Amino acid sequence: MYRNPTKHPLNETTMSQTAIATLLAIATSFYFLLSSPTTKHSYHSLFISTALSDNVSVAHHLHTLTRRPHVAGSEANAEAAAYVLSVFTSCNIQAHVAPYHVSLTYPVSRTLSLTRPPPADSPITFTLRQEIYDGDPYADVADQVLPTFHGYAKSGNVTGPAVYVNYGRVEDYATLKEMGVDVSGSVVLARYGEIYRGDIVHNAYEAGAIGALIYTDRKDYGGGGHDTKWFPDDKWMPPSGVQVGSVYDGAGDPTTPGWASSEGCERLSYEEVEKAGDVPLIPSLPISAADGETIMRSIHGKEANQDWQGDKDAPIYRVGPGPGVVNLSYTGENVIATIQNVIGVITGTEEPDRFVILGNHRDAWTFGAVDPNSGTAALLEIGSTEWVEENREMLASRVVAYLNVDSAVYGAGFQASATPQLDELLKQATQQVQDPDNSSQTIYEAWVGSSNSPVIGRLGGGGSDYAAFVQHIGVPAADISFGEGYPVYHSMYDDFIWMEKFGDPTFQRHVAVASVWGLVALRLADEEFLPFNYLSYAYELQKSTKELEVEVSAKGIILSPMFKSIEELSEAATKIENQKKAIEKAKGWVSKWKRDHFKVRELNDRLMMAERAFTDRDGLFRRPWYKHLIYAPSKHNDYGSKSFPGIDDAIEEAKNLNTAESWYTVQHEVWRVSRAVRHASLVLNGVLT
């Protein structure tokens, strides 16, 4: 979206039924929405009118895009891109495809067998197949679903005793060590949840394991018991369901770290990629709940803690090692494949050089009805990341904000995450839209519930396209959805039928997401002053620093530089709010307002660029792609959001080494953050020191 664009040739009916629904359909792409200052109110009211309640269009788009599996780099995904492009052009939107040639991985072969101790029969060889069900409308294209695998998994053939490691977190391995369990030389069995699957595999390698199996425990995804119904009779994952996904720990194409994957570009060799440390160094495989339970029954040894146990009907979980022995064999291929970003542009008049970007994914692990875009690591995030890397300088100087919708609807309940200056804008937008599940209240009222204020998450995790915008170039961003998490995640059962029966039967939640999305975008595009509130940012930083103070209270770390810089940020935020009010008061005199138009532009420059100041060109230690010093993924969980990630990384290392030098590194990271916050204050103030 360009700031303050001219009126679009579409009439209002077309705008509501086509362009809004299209927002939920585009993927691995970006769409620039429009509005006009002269027709501002008509377009704003459009997003909260009954005209938008027609859900036929969005349901049609979703049904069309999910009619067959469309993994990145496939012909089906290219066809989906063509469909998105055709929708844009039919709406008279200037659109084009930006292709990239990226390194992707696909499965060639995989086997898994279990040898049990006597008196068990011969070894079990698992089928590794997700079963279709009676009446499955997608049975005719089920063979187009790729065999279950992990994107960027290491090829290899390993045999070792099975060890149960709970969720495979760092703290889980610490618990095993306390129990006297040695993981070295084993194949670990981890249930998915709590952390990113790539970190599960990485942690297993660090603990000495030679292979990793990740399954979806019935307690977490299957409804919690043998008597529970599953899809298609209920929302739960069937016993044969497998959650596939990437295990790459980096961002974008691993062979082009920091630059775009254009045709004929410089690339790292795969050996260099492995040395960089972001791809796994042991083979792994995702497996079903049924197969996971079979392996679990072969594991003896000490009984796992109560919080490691399964549902009421599950066997007792023990940690091993063995005596069950697992043989895991996986062969994958690395290929350079073409992916497509579909870009739609509507040009403005007053500030046509400014962008408000709306975006989400398109490619899917399978059918992708809920998560057509699966926001994890390279396989599904490459498109947006490569586009940001290629256009980095222009985006860094011109983007007002990035508004992301990865999975629009998981279920009931509005969810939002954002950089803090967008908090108030999100609250205001949700106060204008009716709750899709209760017409007597707004989304905001349902969101707040019995608390005083809604909970807004932060965009530190690496789970979606916002990562490249926030964490790499420092662009204010937001991510919204209804619901969070769903049982058939990344499986072949994530299809239109699941959405129609369980996720959003009336598709009104989709409409509500589009309404909030559109309202936020129009506010950013239309208002004379960008609706950013940096007082919210200062408050958030103050809160996080107080939490940090508790963590390092006995370590001699001085946090006064951070508290001082945050106070300066608060003062700068108050000052710029007062400057807004002064200009608004003066605009009654038309001639003076015209003379002061440059002041509006200059003030907006400061509001837009302040987020950039939280980045550092050197990035995080050993993670240089991540430039943002306030928000980035947790070192051991790519999904997890960490405030002050560089400080957090340094504290972890200092706790392990406990040397004066390691704690000095923590203090150094404190100073780095303090400088970044002060730089943001200077940008907001807009005067030279």
Side-chain angles (χ1 to χ4, degrees):
M1 180 195 295
Y2 288 88
R3 291 257 306 153
N4 295 327
T6 54
K7 186 172 182 179
H8 191 257
L10 297 176
N11 61 42
E12 290 189 357
T13 302
T14 304
M15 184 68 177
S16 65
Q17 294 181 351
T18 304
I20 303 301
T22 300
L23 293 177
L24 300 176
I26 61 172
T28 314
S29 57
F30 305 93
Y31 174 56
F32 308 133
L33 190 62
L34 84 157
S35 93
S36 168
T38 58
T39 56
K40 170 180 173 180
H41 297 296
S42 64
Y43 277 108
H44 279 250
S45 62
L46 173 63
F47 283 87
I48 56 176
S49 70
T50 55
L52 192 61
S53 64
D54 178 8
N55 54 15
V56 174
S57 180
V58 67
H60 169 72
H61 286 311
L62 185 62
H63 186 268
T64 301
L65 286 164
T66 60
R67 61 189 175 187
R68 63 177 175 141
H70 49 288
V71 73
S74 67
E75 179 184 349
N77 196 43
E79 291 176 359
Y83 172 76
V84 173
L85 183 66
S86 69
V87 173
F88 283 172
T89 54
S90 70
C91 296
N92 297 322
I93 295 173
Q94 176 187 342
H96 66 278
V97 172
Y100 292 95
H101 306 275
V102 298
S103 175
L104 299 176
T105 67
Y106 302 102
V108 174
S109 66
R110 75 264 196 276
T111 60
L112 181 67
S113 63
L114 171 67
T115 301
R116 297 169 293 172
D121 296 330
S122 58
I124 297 173
T125 299
F126 297 100
T127 62
L128 305 178
R129 183 174 62 245
Q130 300 184 84
E131 303 292 342
I132 62 173
Y133 56 87
D134 291 342
D136 185 349
Y138 296 100
D140 61 327
V141 292
D143 61 347
Q144 296 179 28
V145 176
L146 288 179
T148 53
F149 79 116
H150 281 150
Y152 299 103
K154 183 175 179 60
S155 297
N157 188 323
V158 296
T159 300
V163 174
Y164 172 51
V165 297
N166 196 26
Y167 293 110
R169 301 167 295 185
V170 170
E171 56 264 40
D172 293 330
Y173 285 101
T175 298
L176 288 170
K177 187 175 182 180
E178 291 173 0
M179 297 173 70
V181 177
D182 186 4
V183 178
S184 299
S186 70
V187 175
V188 302
L189 177 67
R191 52 181 177 177
Y192 179 81
E194 302 296 327
I195 66 173
Y196 169 58
R197 72 184 67 78
D199 293 306
I200 295 176
V201 180
H202 178 79
N203 293 344
Y205 169 76
E206 290 291 327
I210 59 174
L213 300 171
I214 303 176
Y215 77 105
T216 46
D217 194 290
R218 195 171 61 224
K219 181 179 181 180
D220 299 316
Y221 289 86
H226 282 291
D227 55 348
T228 302
K229 294 181 179 179
W230 52 76
F231 185 70
D233 299 316
D234 207 334
K235 67 179 182 179
W236 302 106
M237 177 84 92
S240 72
V242 177
Q243 180 216 104
V244 300
S246 175
V247 288
Y248 172 48
D249 279 334
D253 185 338
T255 67
T256 61
W259 64 90
S261 297
S262 55
E263 188 171 13
C265 70
E266 177 189 8
R267 293 185 185 276
L268 301 183
S269 67
Y270 203 74
E271 290 72 22
E272 290 173 308
V273 169
E274 283 198 341
K275 288 180 181 178
D278 288 330
V279 295
L281 298 178
I282 56 174
S284 66
L285 201 64
I287 60 175
S288 68
D291 293 349
E293 184 170 309
T294 298
I295 296 172
M296 188 71 74
R297 291 179 184 277
S298 78
I299 300 175
H300 300 170
K302 293 183 179 179
E303 185 174 324
N305 296 338
Q306 185 56 43
D307 59 343
W308 287 35
Q309 296 295 327
D311 63 53
K312 58 185 177 63
D313 295 324
I316 294 175
Y317 289 3
R318 299 181 181 277
V319 295
V325 174
V326 170
N327 174 252
L328 161 64
S329 177
Y330 173 76
T331 302
E333 63 174 341
N334 303 302
V335 302
I336 302 299
T338 302
I339 60 171
Q340 302 82 15
N341 282 2
V342 183
I343 314 295
V345 180
I346 299 172
T347 306
T349 53
E350 292 183 24
E351 294 182 330
D353 59 322
R354 296 287 174 82
F355 309 134
V356 176
I357 302 178
L358 291 82
N360 68 342
H361 296 292
R362 179 190 62 253
D363 48 327
W365 288 101
T366 60
F367 296 96
V370 175
D371 193 352
N373 323 309
S374 191
T376 49
L379 189 60
L380 300 185
E381 292 192 347
I382 279 176
S384 61
T385 301
E386 300 307 309
W387 189 78
V388 170
E389 289 176 342
E390 184 167 55
N391 296 279
R392 178 171 46 216
E393 283 71 26
M394 183 178 291
L395 295 175
S397 64
R398 297 186 181 186
V399 175
V400 170
Y402 175 68
L403 306 178
N404 189 66
V405 173
D406 188 334
S407 301
V409 178
Y410 302 98
F414 184 76
Q415 307 288 329
S417 296
T419 47
Q421 72 273 68
L422 292 175
D423 287 359
E424 291 303 316
L425 179 57
L426 285 169
K427 294 175 186 178
Q428 292 165 11
T430 56
Q431 289 169 2
Q432 295 181 267
V433 181
Q434 185 182 80
D435 179 18
D437 298 302
N438 185 349
S439 60
S440 67
Q441 63 183 357
T442 64
I443 290 176
Y444 181 80
E445 290 168 331
W447 189 16
V448 171
S450 59
S451 62
N452 295 324
S453 182
V455 175
I456 299 177
R458 297 301 164 215
L459 297 177
S464 195
D465 291 72
Y466 58 71
F469 287 91
V470 177
Q471 299 155 15
H472 191 57
I473 60 176
V475 170
D479 182 81
I480 62 174
S481 68
F482 265 86
E484 53 178 346
Y486 64 111
V488 296
Y489 176 57
H490 282 197
S491 74
M492 70 177 288
Y493 308 106
D494 179 10
D495 61 21
F496 187 82
I497 303 302
W498 191 94
M499 177 62 75
E500 193 174 43
K501 294 182 72 171
F502 306 113
D504 192 8
T506 66
F507 284 88
Q508 291 302 321
R509 292 168 186 162
H510 283 75
V511 173
V513 169
S515 297
V516 174
W517 202 0
L519 285 171
V520 171
L522 290 177
R523 289 277 305 277
L524 288 165
D526 283 347
E527 294 194 6
E528 283 83 8
F529 297 108
L530 289 174
F532 292 167
N533 185 339
Y534 279 91
L535 284 169
S536 296
Y537 221 126
Y539 171 77
E540 186 75 12
L541 294 179
Q542 182 85 1
K543 183 176 69 172
S544 297
T545 305
K546 287 181 178 178
E547 293 171 356
L548 178 63
E549 189 175 32
V550 174
E551 186 176 5
V552 299
S553 60
K555 301 299 181 181
I557 302 300
I558 300 172
L559 295 180
S560 54
M562 285 179 60
F563 283 115
K564 181 181 177 182
S565 64
I566 293 167
E567 180 60 32
E568 291 174 352
L569 179 66
S570 181
E571 292 172 358
T574 301
K575 180 179 177 181
I576 202 168
E577 288 299 312
N578 291 335
Q579 290 172 343
K580 282 186 192 178
K581 293 174 183 177
I583 296 175
E584 287 173 341
K585 185 177 180 180
K587 73 178 183 180
W589 294 275
V590 177
S591 59
K592 180 175 174 57
W593 173 244
K594 287 182 177 179
R595 289 197 305 272
D596 285 355
H597 182 68
F598 81 93
K599 292 185 178 179
V600 176
R601 169 80 178 198
E602 188 272 340
L603 190 146
N604 280 335
D605 282 344
R606 289 187 270 145
L607 289 168
M608 182 180 74
M609 298 303 293
E611 186 72 41
R612 314 293 196 270
F614 292 122
T615 64
D616 185 284
R617 63 176 177 268
D618 294 331
L620 300 181
F621 182 57
R622 297 195 185 103
R623 295 193 287 164
W625 188 89
Y626 296 100
K627 309 293 185 185
H628 209 286
L629 299 188
I630 310 300
Y631 297 115
S634 170
K635 184 178 180 181
H636 295 292
N637 179 15
D638 195 59
Y639 289 159
S641 173
K642 293 299 298 186
S643 298
F644 313 135
I647 299 175
D648 188 72
D649 289 352
I651 288 174
E652 181 194 359
E653 186 157 322
K655 285 181 177 178
N656 290 332
L657 299 176
N658 200 27
T659 62
E661 184 179 2
S662 64
W663 286 107
Y664 175 80
T665 300
V666 175
Q667 187 66 65
H668 170 66
E669 291 297 330
V670 167
W671 279 110
R672 288 185 75 199
V673 172
S674 303
R675 288 191 289 270
V677 176
R678 183 168 187 269
H679 290 159
S681 304
L682 294 174
V683 172
L684 286 178
N685 283 326
V687 293
L688 296 175
T689 57

